[in-house]
Amino acid sequence: QMPRGNLETIHPRALVLSAVRKYLDSLEFGQAFVCMRKHRLNLNLIYDHCPQSFLDNVQKFVQQVKLVDYINLFLTDLREEDCTVTMYTAAYNRSAPVVDEGTNRPSKVDKVCEVVRQALVSEDEKKYLLSILTSYVRKSTPELEAALLMVKTLRAMPSDQQTMSAEEVLKYLVFLVDVNEMFDVALGTYDFDLVLMVAEKSQKDPKEYIPFLNKLRKLEGHFQLYTIDEHLKRYSNALGHISKCGPEHFETCKTLIQKHKLYTEALQLFPVSSEEYKSIAKLYGDYLSDKRRHLEAGIIYLNAEEWERALQDFQVCLQWRQVFCMTARLKYSCDTEADIARKLAEQMKMKKQYLDAAHVLEQYAKDTEEAIVCLIDGCLWEEALRMMYKYGRTDFIETHLMEALTENYNQQMETLENCKSEFDKYKKRLAVVREEKEKARLEFLESGGAGNFADADLFSDTSSATGESIQSSRYSSESARSGRSSLYSKSSGSSVKNRRKAEHKRWKLKEGSQFEDFALIAALAKLIKMVDDMRDEMNALLRVLLQFHQYKQAADIQRAYDRLLTQMDRGIPEIWQDSEEGKESQPMLGPMTTANSIAQAVQRGQSLEHSQEKLDPVIRIPPTLRKEVSWKLHVLDSGSSKT
Amino acid sequence: QMPRGNLETIHPRALVLSAVRKYLDSLEFGQAFVCMRKHRLNLNLIYDHCPQSFLDNVQKFVQQVKLVDYINLFLTDLREEDCTVTMYTAAYNRSAPVVDEGTNRPSKVDKVCEVVRQALVSEDEKKYLLSILTSYVRKSTPELEAALLMVKTLRAMPSDQQTMSAEEVLKYLVFLVDVNEMFDVALGTYDFDLVLMVAEKSQKDPKEYIPFLNKLRKLEGHFQLYTIDEHLKRYSNALGHISKCGPEHFETCKTLIQKHKLYTEALQLFPVSSEEYKSIAKLYGDYLSDKRRHLEAGIIYLNAEEWERALQDFQVCLQWRQVFCMTARLKYSCDTEADIARKLAEQMKMKKQYLDAAHVLEQYAKDTEEAIVCLIDGCLWEEALRMMYKYGRTDFIETHLMEALTENYNQQMETLENCKSEFDKYKKRLAVVREEKEKARLEFLESGGAGNFADADLFSDTSSATGESIQSSRYSSESARSGRSSLYSKSSGSSVKNRRKAEHKRWKLKEGSQFEDFALIAALAKLIKMVDDMRDEMNALLRVLLQFHQYKQAADIQRAYDRLLTQMDRGIPEIWQDSEEGKESQPMLGPMTTANSIAQAVQRGQSLEHSQEKLDPVIRIPPTLRKEVSWKLHVLDSGSSKT
């Protein structure tokens, strides 16, 4: 180009931009490109100006821009950011789109590379070879292997069909990408010639890589591939190869699996019940057992047909059904089985799984007496009676059941009384605390006015949970003691741990503490849940009391429980007020209100809304009583209404 | 009193009242009474003026008023109403106290009668005899018996100690109270002389009551008392008397019990296990059984030691434990027991109580094969395996279990897919319906303005539930099919009925129906509950899939379930918005707002509050996922993240 006069060089950016936009609008990509290049505009604009138009007309873009170098320039200049938002804001006045951090939206660069490559291939694959390579390399995760395979294809062609030599192309590639990375990718194609070609372009010392490559060359088939993948840290692939290397390499395979925890993948590579499969399952079982994931360890040991080890793990997590599947499989003697049963039952009793423990004692320890005692301990009255009748041991009714029944009755009565007094106490205190808070808030509003929203938060019951653990209620343990075991009892310790953790983040019940109201609500929720959960055991107790002629006790405890439930049901709307100011805000509009009172009311409503969003569900959501679980005996009801 | 001049008779009520008040304030009850009587003021004022002062100085009142007639006048004039509120409002300007309709506050008349009587008794019991009687009769439930007993005491006294004859007193009583009522009360004292005295005062025909009384006189002891009480419809008392009449009258006793349903009371009158006790319990059992309250009937039959009838009722309500207590007690043969077991298990299977049904089949029908099949049908995989091993029937794994497992897997997968699509569909539709409602409401507000609150309710999502039943979701039955039985399964049909009734009051899902949004929320809540409830069965399925090497299926279904749970968890805050207008109302205050916009915002918040109070809890309270129930197998989790 010829040198030009000074005047000609004045090109205000805004005018240039305007011209470029016109070119782009009329799909004159060539003109636009030349102009942008001359005035060093960001080439991303070609796409960002109107992404859909570019995508629709990418073929035209390639045809107009034409030159390989230009297209390479465009591709290498691509950035994820939208330059109409970041750089040319004045011209576009577009606002940045709302980006969800969570969702993986497709990369702009990847999208453009992909469509440009397709256009190039359909235009002239040979001519645009370098551009095509660039489009591979520029992707957010560069497709180096695809690029290298192109080099390989090129090398395989007769030289008269080549527009460029493989050497040249490789040189260009190495210019774009770190050569060491390229070396690994080449190695990953398992093509030693390609590796050598790349290696020659690198700064690597041939004394290093030649022996390495020679060593690899000497290895055979799958083991060679395994070694390469292992070297490249592609462990999944390595596992695939080594698994095909036969029994002589199985030890290596096992080491690989253990080192990189590829157990589940490995199990899918060998036929079920093959020696290898079992061996891997055993390793996996060992691993899980070590990690104290006993239930899963047990199941995996089953896959390994390692019955004894499975037995041990199932024993630890009290999976009694599985335990006795194992003892049967292992053909243990009755005595051994009985020993295991007795130990297991002891542990199950400690976990309150009385029903299952009793079955274990009955069926495997063959100890009817212990089984009956266990059922009575668990307050499983009807099952206890059934077993007594089954084995003709109704003498236990007098010797054990009646006493336990009285004790359970007394204990439940006491629990109900304690719950009632606790409930009353917390509820009263909550009303006091709320009143105090409301007073403080109103005082603050009066003094500070309705203006300063930020400070108002101080009084708006907001703030996430802080403080130490709530005092652990003594009732939780009491209710558990008299509770019965669930059918399939979960024994994964993790859930217990989580629950405990959750309890730690609660607030303090101490009088006057900052979030005392929350602590009170949480404590009330716990009480309500606990009492509501007693429905089934209460029903069982009532039935057996009635069966043994104890009308009075049955009627008394039914009345006490019924009253407590009713009291709690009535208390719930009071404790979980939909909005604390509900009643006050009713005369918010009307002849008596002023602009100020309306504003205050509005602000009140608003701060409440904010805080509720952040609140723990315990505070926000009132518990629901399981009214659908019927527990009452109507026999007792009608009796009490008549006396 | 001497006639007085005209001028003297002018006594403006206000001045009189003022004088009376002064008298009362200075506790000059005598003066006050005379003045009030002369000017016909309401005598209630003596108490109402200052109740506490009257109660504290009632002795003084009696001493000052003195005359029997005056005190009688005061007592008969007593009314429940507070005359300072109803009659002499101007002088007192007191507002009516807030009365809780529910609570039984003690009657004012009763209170005054009580304290005045005490004062009279301590003053001079004989002199004030008639006043004391009046105080009994004037009580809200007249204590006629006490009054009559006074007459009786009087009659028993030597005549020289009497200030009045019993005759006279009775005459006074009959003047106050209906004589027929008096007759019954006299009869209730079991004192025939007294009855005769009263009868003579009445208009009754002696030809009627004399033979009746003579007939009664001839009866003996408790039976006489029973007949009287039965005649007076005092059935509880009658029962007490007849129960003491010995075996020859026991039939009458039973008739009484049955006629007036006095079962529970009657049971407490006879020693446990006496023939009478058992006989009554049997009657009660028959009654309950007739009323289809089989569980309670069964228990009561136990009290009656009617084992066979108990057995029948327990069978009907599937109380299998009790059933086999009965068969043992009745010493049924093994064959009979097996027959019962088989029938029972069939019914239990229909109610999805597979675990218990299997135990019945195993232990009482001694049919291991059926038991195993039953467990497999109930998807109780581990228990099925245990039983197979216990009886050496692992052949069932191939013949039954594997097929059922595949079927269950497919079915659960389908359920998850259906739930997911249903969830998406309802959620989308809910957003549309809400938008439409919001638009309609805003249009309404714009046209109608913020004034007319009443009409605004039309759009405020208020109104109690109307419309017909929601379409019964097909999933509810599906989930039940694959569900497992609960440990102690309730079989009281009433709770099922209640639940069904509750479902009938729901809203219509039909597009465009008035409460479509509520119907959608209810349907979504049901879906979420159903999916959340699958945790345990999903865990069991995953375990057994893994045990039988079906990694892929296990991982697939774990992923599908996990995704659905996550999706629902995220959807909950969207569906149960704390307040629909939450986001909009944020810029309610600030430079851009007008008085009108604030008023609208306030009104919006208010109508919402109103409606929420009336709403069904399903709409108001978001469901909570039972995140504490762990169901995942981590083994499968890590596998899926690596492939």
Side-chain angles (χ1 to χ4, degrees):
Chain A
Q1 278 182 10
M2 296 292 292
R4 284 167 292 185
N6 274 344
L7 266 178
E8 273 178 284
T9 62
I10 297 175
H11 291 276
R13 168 120 332 179
L15 292 183
V16 174
L17 205 55
S18 157
V20 167
R21 287 175 66 181
K22 258 181 220 143
Y23 288 138
L24 289 174
D25 280 338
S26 52
L27 301 179
E28 296 180 67
F29 293 109
Q31 298 278 13
F33 192 89
V34 170
C35 181
M36 288 168 88
R37 199 172 163 246
K38 190 153 71 188
H39 300 292
R40 296 177 176 255
L41 292 193
N42 188 324
L43 291 177
N44 281 283
L45 192 63
I46 296 174
Y47 172 83
D48 291 338
H49 174 72
C50 177
Q52 199 48 52
S53 146
F54 177 82
L55 293 176
D56 293 345
N57 300 287
V58 63
Q59 204 69 35
K60 225 174 240 167
F61 166 76
V62 169
Q63 284 161 0
Q64 290 179 15
V65 174
K66 224 173 195 171
L67 294 179
V68 174
D69 281 354
Y70 280 10
I71 289 176
N72 288 352
L73 200 62
F74 171 72
L75 290 173
T76 44
D77 264 11
L78 282 174
R79 293 287 175 279
E80 282 301 332
E81 61 176 45
D82 181 350
C83 70
T84 65
V85 174
T86 56
M87 199 175 253
Y88 305 118
T89 33
Y92 282 88
N93 197 17
R94 289 183 190 166
S95 61
V98 185
V99 180
D100 290 340
E101 288 299 322
T103 58
N104 278 344
R105 66 193 177 120
S107 149
K108 162 189 156 187
V109 175
D110 287 2
K111 210 190 317 176
V112 175
C113 284
E114 211 53 54
V115 295
V116 169
R117 179 164 63 245
Q118 278 162 24
L120 293 170
V121 167
S122 70
E123 200 62 31
D124 185 343
E125 202 172 349
K126 273 184 195 161
K127 176 180 164 193
Y128 291 113
L129 188 61
L130 291 186
S131 299
I132 293 171
L133 284 178
T134 312
S135 78
Y136 279 127
V137 170
R138 281 295 300 148
K139 288 193 79 168
S140 51
T141 28
E143 293 184 27
L144 298 181
E145 201 168 317
L148 267 182
L149 284 176
M150 282 189 71
V151 177
K152 205 173 144 183
T153 323
L154 192 69
R155 199 187 49 187
M157 272 195 272
S159 56
D160 56 324
Q161 283 181 28
Q162 292 176 7
T163 45
M164 293 173 84
S165 74
E167 281 287 314
E168 275 176 297
V169 173
L170 200 57
K171 216 168 182 173
Y172 176 75
L173 263 181
V174 168
F175 163 74
L176 287 176
V177 191
D178 174 46
V179 73
N180 286 316
E181 205 178 320
M182 208 62 137
F183 181 84
D184 282 350
V185 174
L187 196 58
T189 64
Y190 314 118
D191 182 331
F192 290 106
D193 295 341
L194 203 59
V195 177
L196 273 177
M197 272 177 77
V198 174
E200 278 160 16
K201 294 276 164 295
S202 74
Q203 314 292 337
K204 276 180 190 276
D205 182 357
K207 276 182 202 141
E208 271 182 33
Y209 64 81
I210 296 287
F212 173 65
L213 290 179
N214 284 338
K215 209 183 77 190
L216 284 179
R217 260 190 235 267
K218 270 181 225 147
L219 301 175
E220 272 170 32
H222 286 298
F223 193 70
Q224 187 188 58
L225 305 186
Y226 154 74
T227 315
I228 291 171
D229 279 326
E230 211 273 332
H231 172 79
L232 294 174
K233 299 193 169 54
R234 304 197 298 193
Y235 300 116
S236 256
N237 289 2
L239 178 63
H241 295 304
I242 192 75
S243 72
K244 291 176 194 136
C245 291
E248 68 272 23
H249 287 297
F250 190 62
E251 276 307 313
T252 320
C253 180
K254 273 160 65 174
T255 313
L256 181 75
I257 292 166
Q258 280 185 292
K259 205 165 159 192
H260 303 291
K261 305 194 184 79
L262 298 167
Y263 304 103
T264 30
E265 255 174 282
L267 285 175
Q268 280 152 39
L269 294 173
F270 294 95
V272 165
S273 300
S274 65
E275 278 314 309
E276 288 86 357
Y277 180 92
K278 288 192 232 164
S279 171
I280 294 164
K282 181 170 172 306
L283 288 180
Y284 197 10
D286 293 347
Y287 168 74
L288 291 168
S289 194
D290 263 10
K291 294 261 171 196
R292 301 179 157 278
R293 284 151 61 183
H294 295 291
L295 171 64
E296 298 177 41
I299 299 174
I300 296 293
Y301 277 136
L302 290 184
N303 288 344
E305 299 179 20
E306 289 282 338
W307 316 120
E308 271 185 73
R309 283 174 192 256
L311 174 63
Q312 281 163 17
D313 275 293
F314 285 135
Q315 254 181 300
V316 174
C317 56
L318 305 186
Q319 295 290 312
W320 65 281
R321 293 187 168 87
Q322 291 279 21
V323 164
F324 295 107
C325 288
M326 293 305 104
T327 56
R329 200 146 205 170
L330 289 161
K331 301 198 171 58
Y332 277 6
S333 71
C334 278
D335 285 350
T336 323
E337 207 172 56
D339 273 353
I340 292 173
R342 235 180 285 275
K343 260 185 235 155
L344 205 56
E346 233 14 81
Q347 288 169 296
M348 288 163 84
K349 273 197 266 183
M350 291 205 295
K351 298 252 181 193
K352 324 283 173 211
Q353 303 171 11
Y354 293 104
L355 187 66
D356 289 344
H359 287 169
V360 167
L361 285 169
E362 180 203 2
Q363 297 183 32
Y364 296 99
K366 317 273 181 204
D367 189 339
T368 321
E369 302 192 0
E370 270 303 310
I372 292 171
V373 170
C374 172
L375 288 168
I376 293 175
D377 284 349
C379 300
L380 300 161
W381 314 110
E382 288 183 359
E383 179 71 355
L385 283 167
R386 183 184 73 86
M387 214 176 271
M388 290 178 207
Y389 277 107
K390 191 176 168 197
Y391 295 102
R393 293 302 306 269
T394 42
D395 52 318
F396 273 95
I397 295 177
E398 284 311 315
T399 56
H400 288 73
L401 190 134
M402 293 314 287
E403 195 187 330
L405 186 57
T406 310
E407 196 193 310
N408 186 239
Y409 167 78
N410 289 333
Q411 185 201 302
Q412 294 284 41
M413 265 303 209
E414 200 188 309
T415 306
L416 288 179
E417 272 161 37
N418 288 337
C419 283
K420 188 181 154 47
S421 72
E422 204 102 319
F423 183 80
D424 287 339
K425 194 179 85 190
Y426 289 155
K427 197 157 143 278
K428 264 184 208 144
R429 177 69 194 156
L430 180 63
V432 172
V433 173
R434 276 183 173 157
E435 204 174 309
E436 278 169 7
K437 279 215 172 178
E438 176 65 12
K439 230 173 80 189
R441 203 181 51 73
L442 284 180
E443 271 168 22
F444 169 83
L445 275 181
E446 266 162 37
S447 66
N452 35 359
F453 274 71
D455 293 341
D457 268 7
L458 272 176
F459 295 92
S460 68
D461 294 1
T462 317
S463 123
S464 58
T466 55
E468 285 135 279
S469 153
I470 196 172
Q471 71 186 55
S472 71
S473 165
R474 65 203 145 111
Y475 301 123
S476 59
S477 59
E478 246 181 48
S479 79
R481 178 142 45 90
S482 60
R484 61 178 71 116
S485 57
S486 71
L487 173 50
Y488 273 73
S489 42
K490 293 277 134 28
S491 56
S492 58
S494 70
S495 81
V496 176
K497 225 185 283 165
N498 286 343
R499 227 175 301 142
R500 245 180 241 147
K501 223 200 235 158
E503 253 167 358
H504 269 283
K505 69 155 206 177
R506 289 287 157 81
W507 313 276
K508 277 188 275 184
L509 264 179
K510 213 178 118 240
E511 223 164 274
S513 75
Q514 196 185 359
F515 298 107
E516 193 191 342
D517 48 351
F518 292 174
L520 285 166
I521 294 175
L524 283 163
K526 208 168 156 189
L527 267 178
I528 291 173
K529 170 106 177 51
M530 192 205 123
V531 171
D532 191 48
D533 281 348
M534 288 167 70
R535 283 170 196 262
D536 281 340
E537 47 184 312
M538 201 49 83
N539 180 262
L541 178 61
L542 288 172
R543 279 150 71 158
V544 75
L545 280 173
L546 192 59
Q547 170 166 357
F548 288 105
H549 310 288
Q550 309 198 3
Y551 284 86
K552 200 192 153 311
Q553 284 93 325
D556 283 352
I557 202 163
Q558 169 153 315
R559 209 175 310 119
Y561 186 54
D562 197 28
R563 274 192 201 148
L564 186 53
L565 278 179
T566 310
Q567 194 188 353
M568 287 181 162
D569 192 33
R570 289 204 187 128
I572 285 173
E574 239 174 282
I575 300 164
W576 285 267
Q577 296 164 333
D578 255 344
S579 69
E580 287 184 41
E581 280 75 20
K583 278 163 205 162
E584 275 177 61
S585 62
Q586 280 193 352
M588 220 155 35
L589 286 186
M592 307 292 283
T593 52
T594 62
N596 202 38
S597 81
I598 293 175
Q600 278 193 12
V602 170
Q603 187 192 347
R604 229 184 295 161
Q606 205 178 34
S607 63
L608 204 83
E609 209 170 85
H610 271 283
S611 67
Q612 289 213 341
E613 274 172 12
K614 290 185 210 157
L615 276 178
D616 194 296
V618 172
I619 309 300
R620 202 160 29 85
I621 302 171
T624 35
L625 297 178
R626 297 176 304 141
K627 287 181 190 160
E628 73 280 6
V629 180
S630 65
W631 59 273
K632 260 193 205 179
L633 293 185
H634 298 281
V635 174
L636 299 169
D637 231 19
S638 64
S640 70
S641 74
K642 265 182 194 154
T643 46
Chain B
Q1 279 180 12
M2 295 292 294
R4 285 165 291 185
N6 274 344
L7 266 177
E8 274 178 284
T9 61
I10 298 176
H11 292 276
R13 172 128 321 186
L15 291 182
V16 174
L17 205 54
S18 156
V20 167
R21 289 174 66 180
K22 258 181 220 142
Y23 288 138
L24 289 175
D25 281 338
S26 52
L27 301 179
E28 295 180 71
F29 293 109
Q31 299 278 11
F33 190 89
V34 170
C35 181
M36 288 169 87
R37 197 174 163 240
K38 191 155 68 187
H39 300 292
R40 295 175 177 259
L41 292 194
N42 189 325
L43 292 177
N44 281 282
L45 193 63
I46 296 173
Y47 173 83
D48 292 337
H49 174 71
C50 176
Q52 198 50 52
S53 147
F54 177 82
L55 293 176
D56 293 345
N57 299 288
V58 62
Q59 203 70 36
K60 224 174 239 169
F61 165 78
V62 169
Q63 284 160 357
Q64 291 179 11
V65 175
K66 226 173 192 173
L67 294 178
V68 175
D69 281 353
Y70 280 9
I71 288 176
N72 288 352
L73 200 63
F74 171 73
L75 289 174
T76 44
D77 264 11
L78 282 175
R79 295 285 175 278
E80 282 300 332
E81 61 175 45
D82 181 349
C83 71
T84 63
V85 175
T86 56
M87 201 175 250
Y88 305 119
T89 32
Y92 283 89
N93 199 16
R94 289 183 190 164
S95 60
V98 186
V99 179
D100 290 339
E101 288 299 322
T103 58
N104 279 342
R105 64 192 181 123
S107 146
K108 163 190 155 189
V109 175
D110 287 1
K111 211 187 321 176
V112 175
C113 284
E114 211 55 52
V115 295
V116 169
R117 179 165 60 246
Q118 279 161 20
L120 292 171
V121 168
S122 71
E123 201 61 30
D124 183 344
E125 200 171 349
K126 275 183 194 162
K127 175 183 167 191
Y128 291 112
L129 188 62
L130 291 185
S131 299
I132 293 172
L133 284 178
T134 313
S135 78
Y136 279 127
V137 171
R138 282 295 300 149
K139 288 191 81 167
S140 50
T141 26
E143 295 183 26
L144 299 181
E145 200 168 318
L148 268 183
L149 284 176
M150 282 187 70
V151 177
K152 204 173 146 183
T153 323
L154 191 68
R155 199 188 47 184
M157 272 193 276
S159 55
D160 57 320
Q161 283 181 29
Q162 291 175 7
T163 45
M164 293 175 83
S165 74
E167 281 287 311
E168 274 175 298
V169 174
L170 200 57
K171 216 168 182 174
Y172 177 74
L173 263 182
V174 169
F175 163 75
L176 287 176
V177 192
D178 174 47
V179 73
N180 287 317
E181 205 177 320
M182 207 63 138
F183 181 86
D184 283 350
V185 173
L187 197 57
T189 63
Y190 314 118
D191 182 331
F192 291 104
D193 296 341
L194 204 61
V195 176
L196 273 176
M197 273 176 76
V198 173
E200 277 159 16
K201 295 273 163 298
S202 76
Q203 313 290 337
K204 276 179 191 274
D205 183 358
K207 276 182 203 142
E208 271 181 35
Y209 65 81
I210 297 288
F212 173 67
L213 290 180
N214 284 338
K215 209 183 77 192
L216 285 178
R217 258 191 236 267
K218 270 182 227 145
L219 300 174
E220 273 170 34
H222 286 297
F223 192 72
Q224 187 189 57
L225 306 186
Y226 154 74
T227 314
I228 292 171
D229 279 325
E230 211 272 333
H231 172 78
L232 295 174
K233 298 194 169 57
R234 304 196 299 194
Y235 301 117
S236 258
N237 289 2
L239 176 64
H241 295 306
I242 194 75
S243 72
K244 290 175 197 139
C245 292
E248 67 272 24
H249 287 296
F250 190 61
E251 275 309 311
T252 319
C253 178
K254 273 160 66 173
T255 313
L256 180 75
I257 292 167
Q258 279 183 291
K259 205 165 159 192
H260 303 290
K261 303 194 183 82
L262 298 167
Y263 305 103
T264 31
E265 255 175 281
L267 285 174
Q268 280 152 38
L269 293 174
F270 294 95
V272 166
S273 300
S274 65
E275 276 315 308
E276 289 84 0
Y277 181 92
K278 287 192 232 165
S279 171
I280 294 163
K282 181 170 172 302
L283 287 180
Y284 198 8
D286 293 346
Y287 167 75
L288 291 168
S289 194
D290 262 10
K291 293 261 171 197
R292 299 180 159 277
R293 284 151 62 183
H294 296 291
L295 170 64
E296 297 177 41
I299 299 174
I300 296 292
Y301 277 135
L302 289 184
N303 288 345
E305 299 180 21
E306 289 282 336
W307 317 121
E308 272 185 69
R309 283 174 191 257
L311 174 63
Q312 280 164 18
D313 275 293
F314 284 135
Q315 255 181 298
V316 174
C317 57
L318 304 186
Q319 294 292 313
W320 67 280
R321 292 186 168 88
Q322 292 278 22
V323 165
F324 295 106
C325 287
M326 292 306 105
T327 57
R329 201 145 204 170
L330 289 161
K331 301 202 171 52
Y332 277 6
S333 71
C334 278
D335 285 350
T336 322
E337 205 172 56
D339 274 353
I340 292 173
R342 234 180 286 274
K343 259 184 234 155
L344 205 57
E346 231 16 79
Q347 287 170 295
M348 289 163 84
K349 274 197 268 184
M350 291 205 297
K351 298 252 181 192
K352 323 283 176 214
Q353 302 172 11
Y354 294 105
L355 186 67
D356 288 343
H359 287 169
V360 168
L361 286 168
E362 180 203 4
Q363 297 183 32
Y364 297 97
K366 316 272 182 205
D367 189 338
T368 322
E369 302 193 358
E370 270 302 309
I372 293 171
V373 170
C374 172
L375 288 168
I376 292 175
D377 284 348
C379 300
L380 299 161
W381 315 110
E382 287 183 358
E383 179 70 354
L385 284 167
R386 183 184 74 86
M387 215 176 272
M388 291 180 206
Y389 277 109
K390 190 177 167 195
Y391 295 102
R393 293 303 305 268
T394 43
D395 53 319
F396 272 95
I397 295 177
E398 283 312 315
T399 57
H400 288 73
L401 190 135
M402 293 314 287
E403 196 186 328
L405 185 57
T406 311
E407 197 191 308
N408 186 239
Y409 166 77
N410 289 333
Q411 186 201 301
Q412 294 284 41
M413 266 304 210
E414 201 188 307
T415 305
L416 288 179
E417 272 162 36
N418 288 338
C419 283
K420 190 182 151 49
S421 71
E422 204 100 318
F423 183 79
D424 287 339
K425 196 178 84 189
Y426 289 155
K427 199 158 142 276
K428 265 183 208 144
R429 176 68 196 158
L430 180 62
V432 172
V433 173
R434 275 183 173 157
E435 205 174 307
E436 279 170 7
K437 280 214 171 179
E438 176 65 13
K439 233 173 78 189
R441 202 180 51 73
L442 285 179
E443 271 167 23
F444 169 83
L445 275 181
E446 268 163 37
S447 66
N452 35 358
F453 273 69
D455 293 341
D457 267 9
L458 273 176
F459 294 90
S460 69
D461 295 1
T462 316
S463 121
S464 57
T466 55
E468 285 135 280
S469 152
I470 197 174
Q471 70 185 56
S472 70
S473 166
R474 66 202 146 114
Y475 301 123
S476 60
S477 60
E478 248 182 45
S479 79
R481 178 142 45 92
S482 59
R484 61 176 70 115
S485 57
S486 71
L487 173 49
Y488 271 75
S489 41
K490 291 278 136 26
S491 57
S492 58
S494 70
S495 81
V496 176
K497 225 186 281 166
N498 285 345
R499 227 176 300 142
R500 242 179 244 150
K501 223 198 232 159
E503 252 168 358
H504 269 283
K505 69 156 205 173
R506 290 284 155 81
W507 312 276
K508 278 187 275 187
L509 264 180
K510 211 178 118 240
E511 222 163 276
S513 76
Q514 195 184 1
F515 298 108
E516 193 191 344
D517 48 351
F518 292 173
L520 286 165
I521 294 176
L524 283 163
K526 206 167 156 190
L527 267 177
I528 290 173
K529 170 102 177 51
M530 192 204 123
V531 171
D532 192 48
D533 281 348
M534 288 166 70
R535 284 170 195 261
D536 281 341
E537 46 184 314
M538 201 50 84
N539 180 263
L541 178 61
L542 287 171
R543 279 150 72 158
V544 74
L545 281 173
L546 192 60
Q547 170 167 356
F548 289 105
H549 309 289
Q550 308 197 4
Y551 284 87
K552 200 189 152 310
Q553 283 93 324
D556 283 353
I557 202 163
Q558 169 153 316
R559 210 175 310 117
Y561 187 54
D562 197 27
R563 273 192 200 150
L564 187 54
L565 278 179
T566 311
Q567 194 189 352
M568 288 182 161
D569 192 31
R570 288 203 188 130
I572 285 174
E574 237 175 282
I575 300 163
W576 283 267
Q577 296 164 334
D578 255 344
S579 68
E580 288 183 40
E581 280 75 19
K583 278 164 206 161
E584 276 177 60
S585 62
Q586 280 193 352
M588 220 155 34
L589 286 187
M592 306 293 282
T593 54
T594 63
N596 202 40
S597 80
I598 294 175
Q600 279 193 8
V602 170
Q603 188 192 346
R604 230 183 293 162
Q606 204 178 34
S607 62
L608 204 82
E609 207 171 86
H610 271 282
S611 67
Q612 290 213 340
E613 272 173 13
K614 289 186 209 157
L615 275 178
D616 194 296
V618 172
I619 308 300
R620 202 161 28 87
I621 303 170
T624 36
L625 297 179
R626 296 176 304 141
K627 287 181 190 159
E628 72 280 5
V629 179
S630 65
W631 59 275
K632 261 193 205 180
L633 293 185
H634 299 281
V635 173
L636 299 169
D637 230 20
S638 64
S640 68
S641 72
K642 266 181 194 157
T643 45

